[in-house]
Amino acid sequence: MAISSIHTVVCPVSVKLGAPARVSVRRSLPFNVGEWRGGVSAISGDRPLVFAKAKQRGESVEEEDRVPIEDQLVVDDDDDDDDDDEPFVHFDERDFAGTESVPVYVMLPLGVIDMNSEVVEPEVLLDQLRTLKSVNVDGVMVDCWWGIVESHTPQLYNWSGYKKLFHMIRQLGLKIQVVMSFHECGGNVGDDVHIQLPQWVREIGQTNPDIYFTDRAGMRNSECLTWGIDKQRVLRGRTALEVYFDYMRSFRVEFDEFFEDKIITEIEVGLGPCGELRYPSYPAQHGWKYPGIGEFQCYDKYLMKSLKEAAEARGHSFWGRGPDNTESYNSTPHGTGFFRDGGDYDSYYGRFFLNWYSRVLIDHGDRVLSMANLAFEENCIAAKLSGIHWWYKTASHAAELTAGFYNPSNRDGYGPIAAMLKKHDAALNFTCVELRTLVQHEDFPEALADPEGLVWQVLNAAWDANIPVASENALPCYDREGYNKILENAKPLNDPDGRHLSCFTYLRLNTTLLESQNFIEFERFVKRMHGEAVSDLGLLPRTHETKLE
């Protein structure tokens, strides 16, 4: 649900380009950020921008002539009368023409393949794919659900629907990013389909519920398997690692022609809930609501055994327990003894526990990505991190801690993850690159969120480790405000090393995206991601909905 990412400035004019609607999300941020805005936002005021109105008139603009963005984005009532008839609102907007091309992929709907492994409404989908191709989208992302492919019998895989789908995609000249989805679909905000874990796995879970992540109250979470059974032969004679490897190897063999023809460009390996490398610390089905801190998920018997062994090895066997003063899913950091400023998170025991908890996460990623590299034989693999940006402005970063990211204000929690990914030549996919800190503050000031700060930290940790960084939006995005923020993060201004995203994946293909004005904005966004010039730089169509706020 996660997580993904950075963020910025909202202007005093809202230019609504159509009725944005919430749609299904695979991932990470399971909350509503107010009413999703269709407004225009300025790019950060401390960065040089293109003064589009002057450019349109052929004038040159000196730096000292620039006016505050608040003044630039209002309808200019003092212009000559001819301006009253102009069909555009003028505002500052950075020019990305000639910049590095960043490929754009689009996630296909969650339920594009049904439980019988058939393509759902193939003719409708084919028309939609043609529409994407018409604006030079590079490819699509497809979830290959474990719960569909290996549903009834261990090691009996049904790839038939995916084969039909991949042939459709290849015929149109599109590339494919594939997600090995070892998690359950459903239960998160926007999820419009429900795909459980394989039936034979759920049967095991009925007699051994410890195969699932468990919270302090003993509630089980069936979104994915606990990392405590990675090496335990509890899945009908196989370990979880062996199950993941067999599935991935079956896919590699079945789709060999698509690898050989370079149609499949990347495999994103599911490492936890929503496919992300994190603990399921904020499950909506257990009553979590944004911006709750979440809860630690280490109380199955396998992880508790690991914790006790780690405590004994440290020489403090009484540390072999979870903290007892973290309160509940919807608590605030300052309402707990563990996460409050000066709390137990920074005690000797707290540092021991959090080191162990985060190490279990990194070790799981390490093991599964090792299996992925064996299965996919030098093809590009990737892992996804969620953008846990709420409570980022506090000392403990409580929501990140319960999710497994040991990233309090006095410690870098993402460098070790990036180093692990580097070990396997894996790319990092990070979420929430469209979110702006100021908007978060306006909608949920109590959350002390800072998505922009988080994105900056994570992207730089990955770039410093010299691994490719991809990204996706966390929430539905149809407006120029969100697209401009994505572009800023995809191609940082004046980066001395010229760093940029390796690709961007848009969430998600749906009928709202394909509505006329929304798709015009999307096409414009794709052009700018590709480094192409646009004819309406800094211009937005005037409509009767354009208004001062």
Side-chain angles (χ1 to χ4, degrees), residues 245-501:
F245 174 80
D246 291 344
Y247 182 88
M248 291 187 287
R249 188 61 186 171
S250 172
F251 177 87
R252 175 63 182 85
V253 172
E254 192 74 21
F255 293 89
D256 179 68
E257 60 182 297
F258 294 91
F259 284 98
E260 294 300 316
D261 294 341
K262 307 299 182 184
I263 302 300
I264 295 175
T265 58
E266 183 178 82
I267 302 290
E268 184 176 290
V269 182
L271 297 173
C274 296
E276 299 164 338
L277 180 59
R278 64 173 177 86
Y279 290 87
S281 56
Y282 48 95
Q285 62 265 40
H286 290 172
W288 175 87
K289 294 181 180 178
Y290 182 81
I293 58 175
E295 290 194 24
F296 293 115
Q297 304 289 318
C298 59
Y299 293 91
D300 63 84
K301 66 182 181 182
Y302 303 104
L303 288 182
M304 287 306 296
K305 179 183 178 183
S306 170
L307 176 58
K308 289 175 182 177
E309 290 174 348
E312 290 172 0
R314 178 68 183 275
H316 303 292
S317 57
F318 56 94
W319 281 356
R321 55 173 176 79
D324 57 8
N325 56 349
T326 56
E327 304 306 326
S328 62
Y329 285 106
N330 293 315
S331 296
T332 61
H334 45 275
T336 74
F338 192 82
F339 298 113
R340 64 176 173 80
D341 287 359
D344 289 345
Y345 80 93
D346 206 25
S347 66
Y348 289 110
Y349 159 74
R351 291 196 295 272
F352 159 77
F353 173 78
L354 293 171
N355 266 305
W356 169 83
Y357 191 71
S358 61
R359 176 48 56 184
V360 169
L361 175 145
I362 294 173
D363 287 348
H364 170 71
D366 186 22
R367 290 189 292 263
V368 178
L369 292 178
S370 293
M371 296 295 100
N373 271 327
L374 284 175
F376 295 117
E377 304 169 328
E378 307 303 320
N379 288 285
C380 296
I381 62 173
K384 186 161 115 178
L385 292 186
S386 55
I388 313 292
H389 56 73
W390 51 105
W391 305 117
Y392 190 84
K393 291 183 178 180
T394 63
S396 66
H397 292 219
E400 290 169 86
L401 297 186
T402 59
F405 305 135
Y406 191 7
N407 190 53
S409 58
N410 60 351
R411 186 182 189 278
D412 174 20
Y414 298 101
I417 296 174
M420 181 271 292
L421 296 178
K422 175 64 175 178
K423 173 183 174 182
H424 301 288
D425 293 320
L428 168 66
N429 184 13
F430 195 61
T431 63
C432 68
V433 290
E434 85 285 12
L435 299 183
R436 296 177 180 266
T437 295
L438 181 56
V439 173
Q440 296 296 307
H441 176 72
E442 290 175 345
D443 291 335
F444 293 97
E446 72 278 11
L448 295 176
D450 186 8
E452 296 187 52
L454 174 63
V455 171
W456 183 247
Q457 180 186 359
V458 174
L459 295 192
N460 279 279
W463 280 326
D464 288 347
N466 197 29
I467 60 175
V469 185
S471 190
E472 61 189 50
N473 49 308
L475 296 170
C477 179
Y478 307 105
D479 60 84
R480 198 167 299 182
E481 175 183 14
Y483 289 141
N484 279 340
K485 188 61 199 174
I486 293 167
L487 282 156
E488 287 182 48
N489 291 321
K491 306 177 184 186
L493 187 68
N494 296 330
D495 188 295
D497 301 308
R499 300 177 299 187
H500 55 82
L501 295 182

Side-chain angles (χ1 to χ4, degrees), residues 534-548:
V534 293
S535 60
D536 61 342
L537 188 68
L539 303 176
L540 272 172
R542 290 181 187 270
T543 73
H544 65 282
E545 292 181 324
T546 302
K547 61 182 178 64
L548 294 175

Side-chain angles (χ1 to χ4, degrees), residues 1 23 64-65 95 98 149 172 200 254 268 295 350 407 422 424 449 455 461 529:
M1 275 205 271
V23 296
E64 59 268 25
D65 294 332
D95 188 359
V149 175
L172 294 174
W200 64 271
E254 192 74 21
E268 184 176 290
E295 290 194 24
N407 190 53
K422 175 64 175 178
H424 301 288
V455 171
M529 288 292 279

